[in-house]
Amino acid sequence: MFDQAADAELSWITETEEKLMSLGDIRLEQDQTSAQLQVQKTFTMEILRHKDIIDELVKSGHKIMTTCREEEKQSMKKKLDKILKNYDTICQMNSERSLQLERAQSLVNQFWETYEELWSWLTETERIIYQLPAPALEYETLRQQQEEQRQLRELLVELKPHIDKMNKTGPQLLELSPREGFSIQEKYVAADTLYSQIKEDVKKRAVALDEAISQSTQFHDKIDQVLESLERLVELLRQPPSISAEVEKIKEQISDNKNVSVDMENLQPLYETLKQRGEEMIARSGGTDKDVSAKAVQCKVERMVFFWENIHMLVEVREAKLLDVMDLAEKFWCDHMSLVVTTKDAQAFIRDLEDPGIDPLVIKQQQEAAESKREEIDGLQEELDIVINLGSELIAACGEPDKPVVKKCVDELHSAWDSLNKAWKDRVDKLEEAMQAAVQYQDGLQAIFDWVDIAGAKLASMSPIGTELDFVVKEQIEELKNKVSLYIPLFKKEQFKSEAYQQQKEMERLNHQAELLLKKAEESDKHTVQDPLMELKSIWDSLNERIINQQVLQNDVLAHQSTVEAVNKAVNDLIESSAGEEANNLQNKLEVLNQHWQNVWEKTEQRKQQLDGALCQVHENTAKSFHGEIEGLQQWLNDTERHLLASRPLGGLPETAREQLDAHMEICAAFDVMEETYSNLMQKHQQMLARCPKSAETNIDQDINNLKEKWESVETKLGERKTKLEEALNLALEFHSSLQDFINWLTQAEQTLNVASRPSLILDTVLFEMDEHKVFASEVNSHRDQIIELDRTGTHLKYFSQKQDVVLIKNLLISVQSRWEKMVQRLVERGRSLDDAKKMAKQFHEAWSKLMEWLEESENSLDSELEIANDPDEIKTQLAQLKEFQKSLGAKHSVYDTTTRTGCSLKEKTSLADDNLKLDDMLSDLKEKWDTICGKSGERQNKLEEALLSSGQFTDALQALSDWLYRVEPQLAEDQPVHGDVSLVIYMIKNHKVFQKELEKRASSMQALERSAGEVTEGSRDDSSWVKVQMQELGTRWDTVCALSVLKQTRLEAALRQAEEFNYVVYPLLEWLSDAEETLLLHDVLPEDKDGLRTLTDKHKEFMKKLEEKQAELNKATSMGNALLALCPPDCSTTFKHWIALIWARFEEVVVCTQQYQQRLVGALAGLLTTQELLEALLVQLQWAQTTLSDKDKEVIPQETEEVKAFVAEHQTFVEEMTRKQPDVDKVTKTYKRKAADPSSLQSYVLALDKNKQEKGSGQFL
C-alpha cells in the first residue's frame, strides 16, 4: 500500500515537473501574460493539494519503518527522500515561475502603457519635426522659431522619465523572457532610437537656429556696416581726385590708393563670409520669389557685390590716372628743373663774363661772342615750349590746391627766361654803351690832339700885347675891345682864349670819360687809356703855359719890360753924365723904380697862379658837384631798385603783411623826399645846358637820360609793390578773420560734442537726441563750404607768402582741418551710436510694451475669474482653463527672460543715471507684474485643487498634484544644465527661488491630500489599497521633487561659484594683457646706446617670464571655460566661446608684439654693435688716411711729367679707396645726424635730375 502511494506521488511529481518544463517562455503581451499567470496559479493550487498527501505519506512511512528490517527501512527512506526532494524541486520551479509571471505582468503593464503613449507622441513629433520650416532669415521669426524649439526641448525633457522607465522595464522583460523579449527589445530600442533621433534633431535644429540667429545678426549688423563703409568709399572714389603736382605727394596718393586695395584685401575675408552667408541664407529660404526676407538679403548682397566691384574698378582707374599724372609730373619737374638750372647757369655765365672792354676792337670781339651765345639761348626756346606745354597739361591734370604751385613754377620759368633775355640784352646794351663811350673817347682824344697841334702853331705866331700898368686886367680887355682897330693882335689872342676855354671843357669831359673807363677797365687794360691821356695832359700843360704867357696882364707887364729897361739905360746914362746930388737923386729914383717893378712882377706871377688855380678849381668843382649829385641819386635809385627786386615774398599774416606795407610806405616817403633832389638836378641840368656850348651837352644828357629812366622804373615798381602789398594785407586780414570765425565756431561745436552725454537707451529720450543731432549735423554741413574756401585761400597764401608765415599758415590749416575731420568723425560716430542706441532701445521697449500689455490682459482675465464653482465638473473646467493659461504663461517665460536680460544688458551698457532709474522702474514693473500673475495663477490653482478635493474629487485632486509633480520633476533633473555666466546663473537662482516658493505652497495641497486619503481609507468599506498605493507613489514623487529642488539649489550655488571663479581668472588676465600690449606699443623708439638697449632687453626677459606665467593662467581660464561650455545650455555657449576666443586672441596679439619687440631689440643691439665695430674700423682707416696725407704733403712734387702722372694715379687710387668707404661713413653717421626737415618737393626733384642733363645744361655756357 505504501509503495503504491509513493510510486503514485513520484509519478505525479515527474509528470508535474515535465508539465512545468513544457510551459515555455513567458509571454510579454498583457493578455497572454495574464493567461500564463492564471495557468501558473492552477499549478500552484494542485501542488499545494499534493503537499498534504506527501506529508501524510511521510508520516505513514516513518511509522512503517519502525517495524521493518534495516534493508527495507533504508529502501523506504531513500524513496521518501526522493519524493521530498523532487517535490521541493517542483515547488521551487513553480515558485520561480509564479514570481516571474507576477513580475512580468507588472512590467508588461508598465511597459505597454508607457510605450503606447510614448510611441504615438514620438511618431507625431517626428512628423512635426520633418515638417518644420527651415530657419528663417529675419531675426524676429528666428526668435519665434527658437521659442517653439525651446518648448519642444522642454517636452523632450518631460518625456525623459518615461523613456528611462521604458528603458528600465524593457531589459528586465528581456531578461525574464529572452525569446519573447526580442520583440520588446526592438520596440524599446526603436523608441529610444527615435527619441534620441528626435532629441538629436532638436539639438541640431537648436544649433542651426542659434547659428542662423548668429548669422542673421552678424550678417545684418555687419553687412549694414560694410555697406555703409563701401558706399562711403565709393562716393569718395567717385569724386574727382585732387591729384597733387609733386611727385612725392603723388606717390603718397598712390600709396594711399594702394592702401585702399590693402584694406579691401583685409576686408576680403569678411566680404566673402558675408557673401557666402547671404547665399546660404537665400539657399536656406524658400527662394527669393516666395520669401520677402530672402529677396531683401539678396538685394543687400547684390548691392555689396556691386560696391565691391565698383571700388576695385575705381581704384584701378584712379591708380592709372595717378600713374599718368606722376609720369607727367616727373617729366615736367625734371625738364623744368633742368631748364631752370640751365637758365640760371646761363645767367651766371653772362653775369660772370668780363666787363666790357675799353678798346673798340676788344668790345667788337665781345659783341661777336655775345651774338654767338644768343644763338645758343635761342636753342633753348624749344625746350621752354615743351616744359610750358607739360606745365599746362599738369595744371589741367592736378587738383585745384596744386594748380598755383605749377603755375608759379611756370611763371618762375618765364621769369627766369625773361631774366636771361634781359641779362643778355643788358650785356648787349652795356657793350653798345661801352663801344659808344670808347668811340667817343677815342674821337674826343684825337680831336683834342689835333686842336693842340693847331693851337701850338697859332701861339707861336702871336706877339705879346703891351698895356699900361695902371689898368687892371678887365679894364685892359675892355679897352682892347674898344680899340679893336688899334689892337688886332690882342683881339686875336682873346679869340684864341675863348677857343682854349672851350677845349678846356672838352678836356674836362675827356678826363671824366677817362675816369669812367678806368673804373670799368681791368688793371691790365688801364694803360690803354692812361698813356694817351697822360701824353695829352703833358701837351695840354705845355700849351697852357704858352697860353698863360700870352695872357693880358702878364703881357702888359712884359710889355713894360722894355720900357723899364730903356728907363734904366737912360737913367744910367744920365747918372754917368751927371754928377753930384742930381746923380744921387736919379740913382735913388731908379732904385725906387726897380723896386716897384720887382714888386709888380712878383705880384703878377702870384696873381697868375691864383687865377689859374681858381679857374681850375671852379671848373672841377662845378663838374664834380653835378656829376656827384647825379651819381648819388643814381646810386640811391639802384639801391632802392635792388631792395624792391630782392624783396622777400608777401606776408601771409596780417602782422607781417602790415609790417611789409609800412616798411614799403617808408620807402615811398623817402622816394617822395628824393623827388625834390631829382627836380633840382633837372633844373641844374637846364641851367648848365644854357651856359655850356653844344659840344658839352652829350655827356650830361646821357647821364640825365639814364637818371630819368631809372627814376621812372623805380617809381613804377614802387607803385606795383604797393598794390601787391595792399592786396596781400587785405587777403591776409580776410583769411585770418574768416579762420578765426571758423575756429570759434569749431570750438563751440567741439564743446557741444564734448558736453553731449552718451546716447540714451530710453526710446523717447534717444529719439529726442536724434532730432537734436540732425539739427547739429545740418549746421556742421553748412560750414563745409567755409572750410573748403579756407583751404583754397590758405593754399594760395602758402605758395605766395614768406616762409616763416607759410609754416604758421600751414600749421593753422593742418590744425583746423584735423580738428574739422575729427569733429566730423565724432559726429558720424555719434550718429552711428545714436542709431545703435535707438535700435537697442526700440527692441527692448517694444518687447517690454507687448509683454506688459499681455500681462495686463492676463491679470484682468485672472481677476475676472476669481469665483470658484461648487460643481466638480465646473471646477475641473476652471482648472483646465487655468492649465491652459499656465501653458501660455510658460510660453511667455522665454519672452520674459529675454526682455529682462535685454533690460539688464542695457543697464550695464548705460552710464546715465536717468536711464538707470527708468530701466530699473521698467524692469521692476515687469518683474512685479510677472510675479503677481504667477502668484495669482498659483493661488488660483491651489484654491481650485482644494475646492476639487473638498467636493469629494479626491482622485482628480490627486491626479492634478501628481501631474504637477510629473511636470516639474524633469526641470529639476540632474542632467538639466545649471551652468552659465554669472548673470545667467543668478537669473536661474532667482527662478528656482520662485519655484521653491511655489513648492512650499503645494505642500498644503499635499497635506490636504494626505488627510483626505486617511479619511477615505478609514471610512470606506471597499478595498482601499489602491489609495495607499497611489499616495505612496505620490509621496515618493513628492520627496523626489523636494530632494531634487534642494540638489538643484546646491548645483546652482556651485555653478555660481564656478562662473565667478571664471570671471576672477579672465578679467585680471585681460586687464594684464591690455596693459602689456600698451606697454609694448609705448616702446616705439628704441634707445641708441648699448646700455639702454641691454636694460630694455633685461626688462623684456622679465616680461617674457611673466608672459610664460600668464600662459598657465590662460590655460586655466581656457580649461575652465571649456568645462563651463560643456555644461552650460546652448543659449549661453556663445558667451563662453566669445571669452575663450577673446583671451586667446589678445594673448596671441601680445605674444606677436612680444616677439616683434624682441626681434627689434636683438636687431637694434646687433646693429649697434656692428656700427661700433664699423666705426672703430673707419677710425683706424681715417687715422691711416690722415697719416698718409701728412706724409704725402711733406714730399716734394716732382717736375717731370711721368712722375707727376704717377703721383696723380696714386692719389686717384687713394681717393677711390676712400670713396668706397663713403657708404660705411654714411651708415655710421646717419644715426647721429639730426633729422632734417622734410625737403621741399623742388629739392627732391633737383636731386632726381639726371647728371648728364645737368652737365648738358650747365655746359652750354662754359
Side-chain angles (χ1 to χ4, degrees):
M1 191 69 182
F2 173 79
D3 291 334
Q4 291 178 355
D7 290 339
E9 286 301 319
L10 284 173
S11 176
W12 176 83
I13 290 173
T14 303
E15 183 181 355
T16 302
E17 186 177 2
E18 290 177 356
K19 286 181 180 181
L20 288 175
M21 294 293 293
S22 64
L23 286 175
D25 295 331
I26 298 175
R27 299 291 182 178
L28 299 181
E29 298 292 337
Q30 286 179 307
D31 52 351
Q32 294 178 2
T33 305
S34 298
Q36 284 183 330
L37 186 59
Q38 292 299 325
V39 172
Q40 197 65 36
K41 286 181 179 180
T42 304
F43 275 108
T44 303
M45 296 299 293
E46 186 177 358
I47 290 172
L48 291 174
R49 184 172 57 81
H50 278 274
K51 187 177 187 306
D52 296 335
I53 297 173
I54 292 173
D55 289 339
E56 291 293 333
L57 185 61
V58 171
K59 288 180 181 180
S60 63
H62 283 295
K63 290 178 180 181
I64 294 171
M65 282 192 294
T66 58
T67 61
C68 293
R69 297 189 303 266
E70 188 63 32
E71 293 178 0
E72 292 176 353
K73 185 179 179 179
Q74 291 296 326
S75 175
M76 289 178 66
K77 186 179 180 181
K78 288 181 179 179
K79 187 174 287 190
L80 286 174
D81 291 339
K82 183 178 181 182
I83 290 172
L84 289 174
K85 182 180 179 181
N86 290 341
Y87 180 79
D88 290 338
T89 300
I90 63 173
C91 286
Q92 181 68 30
M93 290 176 62
N94 182 68
S95 177
E96 291 178 358
R97 176 78 174 178
S98 297
L99 290 175
Q100 288 179 350
L101 286 171
E102 288 176 358
R103 184 184 177 198
Q105 186 181 27
S106 175
L107 291 176
V108 164
N109 291 333
Q110 292 180 19
F111 176 81
W112 286 107
E113 288 175 1
T114 304
Y115 173 78
E116 288 173 357
E117 181 180 355
L118 190 61
W119 183 256
S120 61
W121 185 89
L122 288 175
T123 54
E124 181 66 19
T125 304
E126 183 183 22
R127 184 184 63 80
I128 293 173
I129 289 176
Y130 287 151
Q131 292 177 356
L132 287 175
L137 304 181
E138 293 296 330
Y139 180 81
E140 295 299 330
T141 309
L142 281 170
R143 279 297 183 190
Q144 185 177 357
Q145 289 180 341
Q146 197 175 40
E147 176 61 24
E148 294 173 354
Q149 189 71 12
R150 187 190 66 80
Q151 295 177 1
L152 185 59
R153 190 168 61 246
E154 290 179 355
L155 286 175
L156 287 173
V157 172
E158 292 177 359
L159 287 175
K160 186 66 166 62
H162 298 281
I163 292 293
D164 294 340
K165 185 178 180 181
M166 184 185 66
N167 289 333
K168 184 178 181 181
T169 56
Q172 291 177 355
L173 291 173
L174 181 62
E175 182 181 355
L176 289 173
S177 179
R179 293 182 182 179
E180 293 292 333
F182 181 74
S183 61
I184 297 295
Q185 185 183 24
E186 288 181 347
K187 293 184 183 308
Y188 77 73
V189 169
D192 187 61
T193 303
L194 183 56
Y195 177 82
S196 300
Q197 182 63 40
I198 292 173
K199 187 176 180 181
E200 186 66 25
D201 292 341
V202 170
K203 185 177 180 181
K204 289 181 179 179
R205 181 169 174 79
V207 173
L209 286 173
D210 291 340
E211 185 67 23
I213 288 177
S214 176
Q215 288 182 358
S216 177
T217 303
Q218 294 178 2
F219 176 80
H220 288 290
D221 292 345
K222 290 185 178 180
I223 199 169
D224 290 339
Q225 297 178 1
V226 171
L227 283 174
E228 182 181 356
S229 301
L230 294 179
E231 185 175 7
R232 186 166 58 250
L233 190 56
V234 166
E235 291 177 356
L236 182 64
L237 291 174
R238 282 177 178 171
Q239 295 176 359
S242 180
I243 303 177
S244 177
E246 301 178 10
V247 176
E248 293 300 324
K249 290 185 178 180
I250 296 176
K251 290 180 179 179
E252 292 178 1
Q253 290 179 326
I254 293 174
S255 177
D256 294 339
N257 195 58
K258 289 182 178 179
N259 289 337
V260 174
S261 300
V262 172
D263 293 339
M264 295 295 288
E265 290 177 2
N266 295 333
L267 201 61
Q268 180 83 24
L270 179 59
Y271 166 76
E272 296 293 343
T273 301
L274 289 175
K275 183 179 177 182
Q276 182 180 356
R277 287 182 180 174
E279 292 173 352
E280 290 175 355
M281 292 170 68
I282 295 171
R284 195 172 63 240
S285 66
T288 55
D289 297 334
K290 299 179 181 179
D291 195 343
V292 179
S293 57
K295 183 67 176 176
V297 171
Q298 185 183 27
C299 291
K300 287 187 176 182
V301 172
E302 290 177 351
R303 190 174 172 211
M304 181 183 68
V305 172
F306 171 75
F307 284 153
W308 186 270
E309 295 175 350
N310 203 358
I311 287 172
H312 280 289
M313 181 191 68
L314 291 173
V315 167
E316 292 176 358
V317 172
R318 176 168 288 196
E319 183 175 3
K321 188 170 184 179
L322 287 170
L323 290 174
D324 292 341
V325 177
M326 186 175 71
D327 293 340
L328 181 62
E330 286 178 345
K331 185 170 178 54
F332 169 75
W333 291 113
C334 184
D335 294 349
H336 169 266
M337 292 308 302
S338 175
L339 190 57
V340 167
V341 170
T342 302
T343 305
K344 289 183 177 180
D345 289 343
Q347 292 180 14
F349 175 78
I350 293 175
R351 185 173 57 252
D352 295 338
L353 287 175
E354 59 182 5
D355 293 332
I358 55 179
D359 189 355
L361 295 178
V362 175
I363 296 174
K364 184 65 175 176
Q365 293 176 357
Q366 290 177 335
Q367 286 179 333
E368 291 175 355
E371 288 298 329
S372 64
K373 295 300 182 269
R374 181 65 206 180
E375 295 177 0
E376 296 179 4
I377 294 174
D378 292 339
L380 296 175
Q381 183 67 44
E382 184 178 353
E383 294 185 18
L384 176 65
D385 295 337
I386 293 174
V387 174
I388 291 175
N389 292 333
L390 290 174
S392 301
E393 294 178 5
L394 186 57
I395 290 174
C398 69
E400 289 296 331
D402 290 86
K403 291 183 185 294
V405 181
V406 183
K407 188 175 184 302
K408 181 181 178 182
C409 292
V410 174
D411 293 341
E412 288 178 352
L413 189 60
H414 277 295
S415 176
W417 183 258
D418 293 339
S419 299
L420 176 61
N421 289 328
K422 185 176 182 302
W424 181 85
K425 185 176 182 301
D426 291 343
R427 174 69 177 176
V428 172
D429 292 342
K430 287 181 180 178
L431 289 174
E432 290 179 354
E433 291 176 2
M435 176 63 80
Q436 183 179 0
V439 170
Q440 288 180 356
Y441 174 76
Q442 294 292 337
D443 293 343
L445 185 67
Q446 186 62 40
I448 292 178
F449 266 116
D450 295 340
W451 183 83
V452 166
D453 293 339
I454 296 172
K458 288 183 178 180
L459 284 175
S461 64
M462 289 183 183
S463 60
I465 299 175
T467 183
E468 298 295 331
L469 282 173
D470 297 336
F471 294 98
V472 295
V473 176
K474 289 184 179 181
E475 291 176 347
Q476 188 184 34
I477 292 173
E478 292 296 330
E479 184 180 357
L480 289 173
K481 289 181 180 180
N482 293 328
K483 297 179 180 180
V484 176
S485 57
L486 297 175
Y487 297 98
I488 291 177
L490 184 60
F491 175 74
K492 290 181 179 180
K493 290 182 180 180
E494 287 298 323
Q495 185 179 4
F496 180 78
K497 285 175 65 180
S498 176
E499 291 179 3
Y501 178 74
Q502 295 298 330
Q503 292 300 323
Q504 177 69 29
K505 290 193 175 187
E506 289 295 326
M507 186 64 182
E508 291 175 0
R509 184 177 64 82
L510 190 64
N511 286 330
H512 178 67
Q513 289 180 350
E515 290 177 0
L516 294 177
L517 290 176
L518 289 173
K519 288 180 181 179
K520 299 177 182 179
E522 299 290 339
E523 275 308 317
S524 58
D525 296 335
K526 286 184 178 181
H527 67 90
T528 58
V529 176
Q530 291 174 343
D531 294 345
L533 188 62
M534 293 299 294
E535 181 182 357
L536 179 60
K537 284 184 177 181
S538 176
I539 298 173
W540 182 263
D541 291 340
S542 175
L543 183 63
N544 275 339
E545 291 178 358
R546 295 173 64 187
I547 292 174
I548 289 172
N549 291 331
Q550 294 294 329
Q551 287 181 354
V552 174
L553 180 59
Q554 186 178 9
N555 290 341
D556 289 343
V557 173
L558 292 175
H560 286 81
Q561 179 71 31
S562 59
T563 304
V564 172
E565 292 176 353
V567 170
N568 281 323
K569 183 178 180 181
V571 171
N572 288 327
D573 292 340
L574 288 176
I575 289 173
E576 291 177 358
S577 59
S578 299
E581 185 178 354
E582 185 178 0
N584 291 331
N585 290 334
L586 288 175
Q587 184 65 36
N588 291 332
K589 289 181 179 181
L590 182 61
E591 290 177 356
V592 171
L593 176 64
N594 290 331
Q595 183 66 34
H596 284 299
W597 172 254
Q598 185 65 32
N599 291 336
V600 169
W601 179 258
E602 290 178 356
K603 288 181 178 181
T604 300
E605 289 294 329
Q606 184 178 1
R607 182 64 176 172
K608 172 180 172 295
Q609 292 177 1
Q610 290 178 353
L611 288 175
D612 290 341
L615 181 63
C616 293
Q617 188 68 30
V618 167
H619 288 303
E620 289 179 1
N621 289 341
T622 302
K624 287 183 179 180
S625 175
F626 185 71
H627 285 288
E629 291 179 3
I630 292 177
E631 287 181 358
L633 184 57
Q634 186 82 17
Q635 183 64 37
W636 184 86
L637 290 174
N638 288 333
D639 294 340
T640 304
E641 186 177 29
R642 280 196 301 271
H643 177 75
L644 292 175
L645 293 176
S647 297
R648 59 184 179 178
L650 302 175
L653 301 177
E655 296 79 7
T656 54
R658 188 174 286 106
E659 289 176 1
Q660 288 182 345
L661 182 60
D662 293 343
H664 184 73
M665 295 307 296
E666 292 179 1
I667 297 175
C668 292
F671 185 81
D672 294 338
V673 172
M674 296 300 293
E675 187 174 7
E676 183 178 358
T677 303
Y678 173 74
S679 301
N680 292 334
L681 285 176
M682 294 297 104
Q683 292 177 1
K684 286 182 180 180
H685 172 246
Q686 295 298 328
Q687 292 174 2
M688 291 182 69
L689 289 179
R691 292 196 304 267
C692 296
K694 295 296 183 181
S695 59
E697 294 179 4
T698 303
N699 192 34
I700 297 175
D701 287 342
Q702 183 177 356
D703 294 340
I704 290 297
N705 289 334
N706 292 337
L707 182 63
K708 283 183 179 180
E709 291 179 0
K710 185 63 69 176
W711 180 269
E712 293 173 356
S713 174
V714 171
E715 186 177 21
T716 302
K717 290 178 180 178
L718 282 172
E720 293 175 352
R721 180 70 176 174
K722 179 181 178 182
T723 303
K724 288 182 180 180
L725 289 173
E726 289 175 347
E727 292 176 354
L729 178 60
N730 294 332
L731 182 62
L733 289 172
E734 181 182 354
F735 170 73
H736 286 274
S737 175
S738 178
L739 182 64
Q740 189 61 45
D741 294 340
F742 186 80
I743 289 175
N744 294 335
W745 173 85
L746 188 61
T747 303
Q748 294 178 356
E750 290 173 340
Q751 292 176 353
T752 302
L753 287 175
N754 290 333
V755 300
S757 60
R758 293 186 62 183
S760 174
L761 296 177
I762 306 300
L763 184 61
D764 295 337
T765 308
V766 76
L767 289 175
F768 178 75
E769 289 176 347
M770 291 184 73
D771 292 337
E772 288 184 337
H773 181 74
K774 288 179 181 177
V775 174
F776 181 68
S778 301
E779 182 183 356
V780 171
N781 290 328
S782 65
H783 284 78
R784 192 176 297 276
D785 293 337
Q786 188 176 359
I787 187 67
I788 294 174
E789 183 62 30
L790 280 174
D791 182 68
R792 184 182 296 111
T793 306
T795 303
H796 176 81
L797 290 175
K798 281 194 299 182
Y799 291 115
F800 295 99
S801 300
Q802 57 187 8
K803 187 174 181 180
Q804 56 269 31
D805 291 354
V806 167
V807 174
L808 183 57
I809 293 171
K810 184 178 180 181
N811 292 336
L812 284 173
L813 281 176
I814 291 175
S815 174
V816 170
Q817 288 173 346
S818 176
R819 290 175 62 187
W820 165 263
E821 292 173 357
K822 289 180 180 178
M823 194 266 293
V824 171
Q825 182 64 27
R826 290 178 61 190
L827 185 71
V828 173
E829 291 175 355
R830 178 160 178 81
R832 189 179 295 116
S833 61
L834 285 171
D835 291 337
D836 295 340
K838 176 190 172 185
K839 183 178 179 181
M840 292 186 291
K842 184 177 181 182
Q843 180 182 353
F844 170 70
H845 188 271
E846 290 178 353
W848 182 86
S849 300
K850 290 179 181 179
L851 185 57
M852 286 294 290
E853 183 180 354
W854 185 88
L855 291 174
E856 288 285 350
E857 295 175 355
S858 300
E859 186 177 14
N860 294 333
S861 177
L862 286 175
D863 292 342
S864 64
E865 298 176 356
L866 291 176
E867 185 178 356
I868 298 175
N870 295 322
D871 183 56
D873 294 334
E874 292 182 0
I875 294 174
K876 291 180 182 179
T877 303
Q878 289 179 340
L879 193 58
Q881 291 175 353
L882 182 62
K883 287 183 178 180
E884 290 297 327
F885 170 76
Q886 287 176 341
K887 286 183 180 179
S888 301
L889 185 64
K892 289 292 182 180
H893 193 273
S894 62
V895 180
Y896 171 73
D897 290 346
T898 304
T899 306
T900 305
R901 284 189 188 181
T902 305
C904 294
S905 176
L906 293 181
K907 280 185 61 180
E908 293 176 358
K909 291 179 181 178
T910 186
S911 59
L912 303 177
D914 293 340
D915 284 7
N916 263 318
L917 183 60
K918 291 181 180 179
L919 288 171
D920 280 336
D921 293 340
M922 295 175 73
L923 291 175
S924 298
D925 293 343
L926 180 62
K927 186 177 184 302
E928 182 180 355
K929 186 66 68 176
W930 180 266
D931 293 341
T932 301
I933 298 298
C934 292
K936 289 183 178 182
S937 174
E939 291 176 2
R940 183 167 179 77
Q941 183 175 1
N942 292 334
K943 290 180 180 180
L944 287 172
E945 290 176 353
E946 291 176 0
L948 192 63
L949 189 61
S950 301
S951 64
Q953 300 297 316
F954 173 78
T955 305
D956 293 332
L958 179 65
Q959 186 63 40
L961 183 57
S962 180
D963 290 343
W964 182 81
L965 292 172
Y966 187 85
R967 187 173 66 252
V968 300
E969 183 180 358
Q971 300 175 5
L972 302 173
E974 295 184 20
D975 59 351
Q976 286 297 303
V978 294
H979 293 79
D981 56 0
V982 175
S983 60
L984 177 61
V985 176
I986 291 175
Y987 180 74
M988 287 192 291
I989 289 175
K990 291 180 180 179
N991 287 341
H992 188 64
K993 288 181 179 180
V994 173
F995 168 75
Q996 286 176 332
K997 290 180 181 180
E998 186 176 359
L999 185 63
E1000 291 176 0
K1001 294 178 181 178
R1002 292 282 181 175
S1004 61
S1005 300
M1006 183 66 185
Q1007 293 172 0
L1009 279 174
E1010 288 177 348
R1011 289 194 300 270
S1012 298
E1015 294 173 357
V1016 170
T1017 304
E1018 293 175 359
S1020 177
R1021 297 179 180 179
D1022 298 331
D1023 186 9
S1024 60
S1025 60
W1026 64 272
V1027 176
K1028 294 180 180 179
V1029 173
Q1030 293 291 331
M1031 286 302 298
Q1032 186 178 2
E1033 291 181 359
L1034 182 64
T1036 302
R1037 191 171 296 277
W1038 175 267
D1039 294 338
T1040 302
V1041 168
C1042 291
L1044 289 175
S1045 175
V1046 174
L1047 180 61
K1048 186 172 182 179
Q1049 177 69 28
T1050 305
R1051 293 171 60 218
L1052 284 170
E1053 291 174 355
L1056 180 60
R1057 287 194 298 271
Q1058 290 180 355
E1060 290 176 346
E1061 185 179 355
F1062 178 75
N1063 286 350
Y1064 292 153
V1065 174
V1066 169
Y1067 286 141
L1069 180 61
L1070 283 175
E1071 184 177 358
W1072 185 88
L1073 290 174
S1074 299
D1075 294 340
E1077 187 175 7
E1078 184 178 357
T1079 303
L1080 290 173
L1081 293 176
L1082 286 176
H1083 295 301
D1084 189 21
V1085 180
L1086 297 177
E1088 297 178 354
D1089 58 304
K1090 184 168 59 177
D1091 294 336
L1093 285 173
R1094 287 180 175 171
T1095 302
L1096 282 181
T1097 303
D1098 295 338
K1099 291 182 179 179
H1100 190 64
K1101 288 180 180 179
E1102 296 177 0
F1103 174 78
M1104 292 182 69
K1105 290 181 180 179
K1106 292 182 180 179
L1107 188 62
E1108 291 177 359
E1109 295 174 359
K1110 294 297 178 181
Q1111 176 76 45
E1113 296 183 15
L1114 176 67
N1115 295 333
K1116 180 180 178 182
T1118 304
S1119 61
M1120 292 176 63
N1122 289 328
L1124 291 172
L1125 183 62
L1127 296 173
C1128 71
D1131 298 340
C1132 191
S1133 60
T1134 306
T1135 303
F1136 289 106
K1137 289 179 181 178
H1138 166 73
W1139 284 113
I1140 293 172
L1142 179 62
I1143 58 177
W1144 271 103
R1146 296 303 300 275
F1147 187 82
E1148 290 175 355
E1149 289 175 0
V1150 172
V1151 169
V1152 171
C1153 291
T1154 303
Q1155 293 174 350
Q1156 292 177 350
Y1157 186 65
Q1158 184 179 9
Q1159 292 175 358
R1160 289 180 58 204
L1161 285 173
V1162 173
L1165 186 58
L1168 185 60
L1169 294 176
T1170 304
T1171 303
Q1172 288 180 348
E1173 294 175 358
L1174 184 60
L1175 178 61
E1176 293 175 358
L1178 287 175
L1179 289 174
V1180 173
Q1181 180 75 16
L1182 288 174
Q1183 184 66 34
W1184 170 82
Q1186 187 175 5
T1187 304
T1188 302
L1189 288 175
S1190 299
D1191 295 340
K1192 293 295 183 182
D1193 289 340
K1194 295 177 182 178
E1195 296 180 3
V1196 179
I1197 299 177
Q1199 301 298 323
E1200 297 295 330
T1201 304
E1202 296 299 329
E1203 294 180 357
V1204 171
K1205 287 182 179 180
F1207 267 65
V1208 171
E1210 183 180 357
H1211 183 70
Q1212 185 65 29
T1213 303
F1214 174 80
V1215 170
E1216 291 176 355
E1217 185 176 355
M1218 296 303 295
T1219 304
R1220 284 195 296 270
K1221 298 293 182 180
Q1222 184 63 40
D1224 295 337
V1225 175
D1226 296 338
K1227 182 179 179 181
V1228 171
T1229 57
K1230 179 177 64 178
T1231 309
Y1232 306 100
K1233 287 181 180 178
R1234 180 181 297 175
K1235 291 183 178 179
D1238 291 335
S1240 64
S1241 56
L1242 281 175
Q1243 291 174 342
S1244 63
Y1245 292 129
V1246 171
L1247 294 176
L1249 286 176
D1250 184 25
K1251 182 178 179 182
N1252 295 332
K1253 202 158 191 177
Q1254 287 182 343
E1255 292 178 354
K1256 176 184 176 182
S1258 60
Q1260 290 177 349
F1261 296 96
L1262 294 179

